[in-house]
């Protein structure tokens, strides 16, 4: 396979025989590894990462929120205070959801802490 037949013309879509892929080998065997990590990340992980980044712009000595997540909350509160009714509704819904989530978490902690109180400990040995 090192020698080309005399009638073989090298040209467009006809690479030299010595530079073709070997039998059983195709494409770039090391290709695609760079993008595998991106496929593993799902939407929740990407959102968390994006929201926890610092804002890109800073203007003079004006104090900016530490993360984008905080910047979004600050902007929502500012719009609500300015009288934007959509922002007020969204803010009140968020407050209600966070209070419900906090109450459920507190109940779960209380159940875990008091779940073993009524049972007698088993003697060892």
């Amino acid at each position: 396979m090192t020698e080309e037949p005399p009638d073989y013309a090298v040209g467009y879509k006809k690479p030299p025989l010595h530079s073709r892929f070997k039998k059983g080998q195709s494409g770039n065997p090391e290709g695609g590894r760079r993008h595998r990590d991106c496929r593993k990340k799902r939407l929740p992980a990407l959102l968390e990462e994006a929201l926890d980044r610092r804002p890109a712009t800073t203007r003079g000595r004006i104090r900016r929120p530490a993360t984008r997540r905080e910047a979004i909350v600050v902007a929502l509160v500012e719009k609500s205070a300015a009288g934007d009714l959509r922002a007020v509704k969204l803010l009140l819904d968020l407050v209600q959801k966070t209070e419900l989530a906090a109450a459920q978490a507190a109940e779960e902690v209380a159940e875990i802490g008091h779940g073993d109180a009524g049972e007698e400990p088993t003697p060892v040995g």
Side-chain angles (χ1 to χ4, degrees):
M1 205 166 163
T2 57
E3 295 182 22
E4 298 176 5
D7 60 341
Y8 181 75
V10 175
Y12 181 69
K13 292 191 177 181
K14 292 183 177 183
L17 294 176
H18 72 275
S19 66
R20 290 184 179 179
F21 290 117
K22 309 292 186 276
K23 289 280 186 181
Q25 175 187 357
S26 64
N28 182 1
E30 295 191 17
R33 291 188 182 177
R34 183 174 23 159
H35 300 289
R36 283 187 191 158
D37 294 335
C38 295
R39 290 184 199 138
K40 289 181 183 177
K41 288 189 176 181
R42 299 287 179 216
L43 183 60
L46 291 172
L47 279 173
E48 288 289 325
E49 184 179 317
L51 287 172
D52 290 336
R53 279 194 213 134
R54 294 183 174 273
T57 60
T58 55
R59 294 180 190 162
R61 294 183 177 221
I62 298 173
R63 186 164 185 251
R64 296 283 176 183
T67 62
R68 291 178 179 175
R69 182 186 314 254
E70 291 174 6
I72 290 170
V73 172
V74 167
L76 181 62
V77 170
E78 291 297 323
K79 279 189 167 188
S80 298
D84 185 351
L85 294 179
R86 280 181 146 177
V88 170
K89 183 178 179 343
L90 181 60
L91 183 63
L92 292 176
D93 289 344
L94 285 174
V95 168
Q96 185 179 13
K97 285 181 183 179
T98 54
E99 286 175 353
L100 287 174
Q104 287 177 352
E107 286 177 10
E108 289 176 4
V109 169
E111 287 176 8
I112 292 172
H114 296 295
D116 297 333
E119 300 175 5
E120 293 181 19
T122 57
V124 179

